[in-house]
Amino acid sequence: MSPAAFSRASRAPLVRFLSLLCLMLGGGAAAWAVEPVVRPGDDLALLEYEARAHPADAVRKLEALLSQEAAHSPRRLEILRLMTGLRISLAQPEAAESLLQQVRELARQGPVALRRDAEVASSCLQGDLARLQGSLTRADEPLEEAMRLLDAGTAVPIHMSCLVIHSSVEENLGHFDEAARLTQQALRLVDRGQPWRRSELLSGLAYIYLRAGQRERARHLNDEAKVLAQANEDWVSLSEATTVESILLTDEGKEMQALQSLSQSIQYARQAGDQLSVAMGLANLSDHYLRQGDYRQAYAQAQQALPLARQLRSSEVEQLADFNTGLALIAMRRKDEGLPLVREVLDQQRRADEVVPQAEALADLAHYLEKAGYLSEALQVYREHRAMSEQAFQRSQQKALVELQESFDAERRKHERSLLTDDNQLKEEALRQTELRFKLWALVMAGVGMAVLLLALLHRRMKAAQKALHSVNERLKVQSEQDPLTGLANRRHFQRLMAQGEDAGGTLYLLDLDHFKRINDNFGHAGGDAVLIEVARRLQAVLREEDVVVRWGGEEFMILVPGEGGEPAELLAQRLLTALASLPVVVGPDRVAVTASIGFGSFPLQPQQLDVPWSMAIDLVDAAMYIAKTQGRNRAVGIRRMTACDLDMVARQMQDLEAVWRRDEAQLVEIHGPDVVGQTE
């Protein structure tokens, strides 16, 4: 599984405990010393600190405090908020809803000074409850409402709670920039007297940066969190920081060190008495053994985590354990037992609209199906993964377009306000000139001349502003269609080209790097990035200026050779294979072998000159590429001819192109790549 999938459940303690923030003042400090975990006499803060490991005990103590509290006091609101958050963390939605009703009552009928805070807390907790009930999109709406209501007068613990819960939802929706921004705001609210809060927020922010691909920043933040937790002997925060450390080490390909950190994290959780984190650690251990190929041990660890997760009613840990159990069974060639478990987790993610985790889980499932030899099932799952990745990409692009439009509208409004101000000044000047026109005719004429000059200047300014806006929009358009890592065009650019014509034309190549996951595992993601950059450079060196080369997603590249008149498609496929495999890619002191599997075809389809839509053309070369993989990789498979006479027949033949080929209903060509140079181990 990918590093993000590796710890799908590991950050739940952060959300569970930091959504229950208590009273504090001031901002965080840069350096921390050993100090009390809470201020003396702050019983709510002490209860929250203890609740991280023992939430059920904390609920009972809070219930006793609530029975003694005045009906409409700020302290009652804080107790209700903490209790509701704890009930949510304990997966007790009915009890949480009952408490939330009391918070809503304070928002409607409490003292005026309390209503605003109660309204914010109500919206925030409603979002947290929606997340528990399995819908991230439904959680986002009340959280956005809470954010709109926040102001400088909002109580600090309520403010921080909203920021942390909203950050968690945004992160799981794949909006990492927004999640990081919200967590940074929460950090600025942390009081110096609460070092454990700062430590857990730093670990959470480090994990967000890791998922966003900023590994160095993630390591720096998590190291700070770990030092702070060690200084205060805070075992819960240490468990959290050490878990994130293990994910970072996994991401760098340091599996043995990652295993040590993960084992240490479980030990810290046991010292704290935090059974939920113990269960999460066991589930994550199963993931480590999956990556190492020790499927029996992976299965055993997942099975050890399951009863503890069910006892604690943690759906996140149970999902992770079930998912890893299913993958282990598939890898042991017990597909009929394992696949239903994995599919059930995928269904739960789909119902919760967790697009990014679902895409990651599909990639893992396809990998283990292929590894176990279930090739037709792996192909189907790869297609599901591509569709889900496309959905995630579209959501990201839609958000970028909305932000771009908002930026443009803001600039336009600013420009219009500037013109309106200048226009009002002109009108005032014209009135003054009318009053004096009989006595000061010469000055009026001069004023008219100045007005004409001013209008000319305004016109010039408007033209310059429009030109600048056009230039900015063009730059943004180019950036939105360019892959930031390789500098190639991205999927959005290719989709725009496809929109210019309904049917495919030219020769289309789909290239997928072989065993790229192994490269990431052995050399880390920095090594994987270096390989992708070099592959992009080699592809561009082979192709003509008018050819289009696109980073299609992950380790996949799409190439379009438009029209006719270029070199034969099969010769170009051979040159692409040679360009990649003939020389290793240098990654530090290592030499990494790089090969690819390529599917290609020329359109319209021969011999019928059958026009096919772009989506079908892509699926055809994808099917050809998969045949190249099943035939041993480091090769290209091209479609020369198909007997299909209409699109319905093409669609049927495409479902099992290899069988159609064997029956001579399609003519394919297979081209072998050169001998591999370099090593990936």
Side-chain angles (χ1 to χ4, degrees):
M1 299 170 74
S2 61
F6 162 68
S7 193
R8 274 187 294 272
S10 66
R11 284 195 62 242
L14 180 68
V15 175
R16 182 185 60 178
F17 301 125
L18 292 183
S19 62
L20 312 171
L21 301 172
C22 61
L23 296 171
M24 36 189 168
L25 298 170
W32 296 75
V34 178
E35 54 189 311
V37 293
V38 296
R39 287 174 174 168
D42 193 342
D43 57 341
L44 294 185
L46 182 60
L47 274 175
E48 185 179 359
Y49 177 79
E50 295 172 351
R52 299 177 306 157
H54 305 287
D57 291 343
V59 167
R60 286 191 290 272
K61 293 177 182 178
L62 285 166
E63 285 174 340
L65 291 176
L66 184 66
S67 65
Q68 304 166 14
E69 195 56 50
H72 296 116
S73 67
R75 179 177 164 89
R76 182 179 182 84
L77 173 61
E78 182 61 10
I79 293 172
L80 284 170
R81 188 182 63 79
L82 289 171
M83 288 178 65
T84 308
L86 279 169
R87 291 295 189 185
I88 292 171
S89 75
L90 290 167
Q92 299 170 356
E94 294 84 2
E97 180 62 40
S98 175
L99 291 163
L100 183 53
Q101 288 295 340
Q102 297 184 54
V103 177
R104 293 182 183 129
E105 189 67 23
L106 286 175
R108 287 192 300 268
Q109 300 182 4
V112 174
L114 193 62
R115 288 181 190 175
R116 182 80 169 190
D117 279 356
E119 189 176 359
V120 174
S122 172
S123 295
C124 181
L125 291 167
Q126 181 61 49
D128 202 14
L129 184 58
R131 180 183 58 180
L132 169 67
Q133 293 168 335
S135 177
L136 291 175
T137 50
R138 283 199 301 111
D140 206 33
E141 184 176 346
L143 287 169
E144 289 287 355
E145 176 62 22
M147 298 303 293
R148 283 192 292 271
L149 294 171
L150 288 173
D151 57 30
T154 305
V156 172
I158 295 175
H159 194 152
M160 184 181 291
S161 174
C162 289
L163 291 171
V164 173
I165 295 171
H166 198 189
S167 171
S168 172
V169 171
E170 292 294 334
E171 178 189 342
N172 282 293
L173 286 170
H175 306 155
F176 301 127
D177 290 347
E178 181 65 10
R181 184 185 69 80
L182 292 165
T183 306
Q184 287 165 345
Q185 288 184 26
L187 269 167
R188 287 194 286 271
L189 295 174
V190 175
D191 185 86
R192 182 181 172 84
Q194 303 287 336
W196 63 271
R197 297 188 194 282
R198 182 172 178 83
S199 176
E200 290 191 339
L201 279 170
L202 286 168
S203 291
L205 185 57
Y207 184 74
I208 293 169
Y209 276 123
L210 174 60
R211 294 193 74 182
Q214 300 185 39
R215 288 180 287 275
E216 287 303 316
R217 179 67 173 152
R219 176 167 289 286
H220 173 76
L221 289 167
N222 198 61
D223 286 347
E224 184 181 347
K226 188 175 179 182
V227 168
L228 183 58
Q230 287 172 330
N232 291 277
E233 296 186 348
D234 179 3
W235 308 122
V236 172
S237 296
L238 260 176
S239 176
E240 180 73 30
T242 313
T243 296
V244 176
E245 180 182 68
S246 73
I247 303 170
L248 282 160
L249 290 166
T250 299
D251 194 57
E252 296 167 6
K254 300 175 181 177
E255 291 287 353
M256 292 307 298
Q257 292 169 259
L259 178 60
Q260 292 172 1
S261 291
L262 188 53
S263 301
Q264 185 65 64
S265 172
I266 296 172
Q267 182 60 35
Y268 287 140
R270 286 188 170 129
Q271 283 182 259
D274 184 357
Q275 291 301 303
L276 181 58
S277 293
V278 171
M280 290 170 181
L282 293 171
N284 284 336
L285 268 178
S286 73
D287 201 85
H288 168 82
Y289 288 114
L290 272 175
R291 291 193 310 278
Q292 296 301 300
D294 190 345
Y295 304 126
R296 294 188 182 281
Q297 185 64 24
Y299 177 83
Q301 291 292 343
Q303 289 297 294
Q304 191 176 348
L306 265 175
L308 191 53
R310 288 168 180 159
Q311 176 188 340
L312 297 168
R313 301 180 66 182
S314 171
S315 60
E316 291 172 295
V317 181
E318 188 173 350
Q319 276 190 25
L320 182 58
D322 277 337
F323 190 82
N324 287 347
T325 297
L327 293 184
L329 288 168
I330 289 169
M332 291 188 289
R333 300 193 60 79
R334 293 161 62 183
K335 175 175 69 73
D336 292 343
E337 299 173 64
L339 192 55
L341 291 172
V342 175
R343 284 294 182 188
E344 174 58 30
V345 173
L346 287 167
D347 287 343
Q348 292 170 9
Q349 291 174 337
R350 184 175 61 256
R351 289 192 293 270
D353 202 29
E354 296 177 345
V355 176
V356 174
Q358 193 178 352
E360 293 167 347
L362 284 168
D364 293 332
L365 174 58
H367 171 73
Y368 285 101
L369 282 168
E370 182 184 359
K371 204 164 186 178
Y374 301 113
L375 301 183
S376 61
E377 290 91 341
L379 174 59
Q380 181 60 38
V381 174
Y382 274 125
R383 287 175 175 165
E384 290 181 55
H385 171 255
R386 176 167 295 156
M388 186 57 60
S389 298
E390 172 71 12
Q391 183 180 344
F393 172 81
Q394 291 291 350
R395 289 192 178 190
S396 174
Q397 292 303 312
Q398 288 167 5
K399 183 179 180 184
L401 285 173
V402 170
E403 292 172 350
L404 177 61
Q405 184 62 45
E406 289 174 350
S407 173
F408 175 79
D409 289 344
E411 187 66 27
R412 178 176 53 79
R413 288 192 295 269
K414 180 180 177 183
H415 181 59
E416 289 173 349
R417 285 195 299 269
S418 175
L419 289 177
L420 181 60
T421 300
D422 290 338
D423 187 53
N424 288 336
Q425 291 174 352
L426 283 173
K427 290 178 181 178
E428 292 174 6
E429 180 64 21
L431 287 172
R432 285 195 296 270
Q433 294 297 330
T434 300
E435 293 172 0
L436 296 173
R437 66 178 179 270
F438 293 108
K439 296 180 181 180
L440 301 168
W441 181 257
L443 290 177
V444 170
M445 295 300 294
V448 171
M450 290 179 63
V452 171
L453 177 60
L454 183 56
L455 284 170
L457 289 174
L458 285 173
H459 179 71
R460 182 180 298 178
R461 283 176 56 191
M462 184 176 68
K463 295 291 286 184
Q466 289 174 341
K467 183 178 179 180
L469 282 172
H470 179 74
S471 176
V472 168
N473 288 336
E474 287 300 314
R475 288 201 304 272
L476 288 172
K477 180 179 177 182
V478 170
Q479 291 171 4
S480 73
E481 294 186 2
Q482 185 177 54
D483 175 53
L485 177 65
T486 62
L488 298 177
N490 63 15
R491 185 191 297 251
R492 177 177 173 79
H493 175 78
F494 195 79
Q495 288 171 333
R496 183 171 63 81
L497 293 181
M498 289 192 297
Q500 296 172 4
E502 182 178 349
D503 294 325
T507 303
L508 196 62
Y509 298 80
L510 182 59
L511 179 152
D512 185 84
L513 299 185
D514 296 329
H515 303 301
F516 187 73
K517 186 177 187 298
R518 186 184 304 168
I519 294 174
N520 273 337
D521 290 345
N522 291 343
F523 303 102
H525 282 266
D529 289 349
V531 168
L532 291 171
I533 292 169
E534 175 60 16
V535 165
R537 188 196 67 77
R538 294 185 187 184
L539 294 178
Q540 287 177 305
V542 171
L543 297 166
R544 305 172 301 173
E545 185 175 348
E546 60 265 34
D547 298 333
V548 180
V549 56
V550 174
R551 186 178 178 198
W552 192 242
E555 64 271 24
E556 287 187 330
F557 297 84
M558 185 78 76
I559 297 167
L560 174 62
V561 178
E564 299 179 354
E567 64 185 305
E570 295 164 18
L571 178 58
L572 179 55
Q574 182 71 70
R575 293 209 300 129
L576 291 169
L577 291 168
T578 301
L580 296 180
S582 57
L583 286 174
V585 175
V586 177
V587 178
D590 299 305
R591 301 293 183 270
V592 183
V594 178
T595 64
S597 300
I598 302 175
F600 66 96
S602 296
F603 303 94
L605 275 175
Q606 299 297 327
Q608 306 290 344
Q609 287 292 310
L610 183 63
D611 288 322
V612 299
W614 279 106
S615 59
M616 181 172 283
I618 292 171
D619 287 342
L620 278 168
V621 297
D622 181 44
M625 181 191 73
Y626 189 72
I627 294 174
K629 283 186 174 294
T630 61
Q631 295 299 309
R633 293 183 168 84
N634 188 23
R635 68 196 64 209
V637 171
I639 302 169
R640 280 180 173 168
R641 294 171 177 269
M642 293 185 70
T643 59
C645 56
D646 56 42
L647 295 183
D648 288 340
M649 190 171 180
V650 173
R652 289 194 298 273
Q653 291 183 343
M654 186 173 57
Q655 293 304 312
D656 195 345
L657 186 60
E658 186 172 1
V660 171
W661 176 32
R662 303 299 181 197
R663 295 197 302 266
D664 291 329
E665 295 175 17
Q667 184 180 358
L668 307 184
V669 58
E670 184 176 2
I671 302 165
H672 292 263
D675 292 337
V676 178
V677 178
Q679 61 180 29
T680 58
E681 298 297 338

